[in-house]
């Protein structure tokens, strides 16, 4: 697997926490120095490990917000 870098530019919030202390978080993350994107995934305590997640650009995030607001 190729090396990658990430920088949590802004922690937006925790959605849930499991019994092992992992949290599902929404953050703005810069992947490999690129423009930050919205990122939703599970994180181990202290962000030393991450689970699979989804990354959305601004337009995708706005579309998701609109969908959720229509529910």
């Amino acid at each position: 697997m190729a090396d990658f870098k990430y920088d949590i530019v802004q922690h937006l919030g925790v959605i849930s926490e499991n019994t092992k202390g992992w949290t599902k978080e929404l953050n703005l993350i810069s992947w490999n120095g690129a423009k930050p994107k919205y990122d939703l995934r599970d994180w181990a305590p202290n962000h030393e490990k991450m689970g699979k997640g989804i990354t959305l650009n601004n337009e995708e995030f706005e579309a998701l917000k609109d969908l959720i607001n229509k529910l």
Side-chain angles (χ1 to χ4, degrees):
M1 178 179 270
D3 288 337
F4 65 93
K5 296 179 183 179
Y6 67 92
D7 178 33
I8 299 175
V9 176
Q10 184 177 1
H11 174 74
L12 299 171
V14 173
I15 294 171
S16 63
E17 183 174 345
N18 69 20
T19 57
K20 295 183 179 181
W22 283 61
T23 53
K24 188 174 306 290
E25 299 181 13
L26 179 63
N27 296 302
L28 273 174
I29 297 183
S30 172
W31 297 99
N32 295 316
K35 180 179 176 182
K37 294 184 178 183
Y38 291 95
D39 186 83
L40 180 63
R41 72 180 61 244
D42 291 330
W43 289 92
N46 300 318
H47 296 117
E48 71 270 8
K49 293 183 183 178
M50 68 179 81
K52 292 182 180 179
I54 62 167
T55 301
L56 304 168
N57 63 31
N58 289 345
E59 293 80 20
E60 293 167 330
F61 185 73
E62 289 299 324
L64 178 60
K65 281 185 0 185
D66 290 343
L67 285 173
I68 291 172
N69 287 333
K70 290 178 183 177
L71 296 178

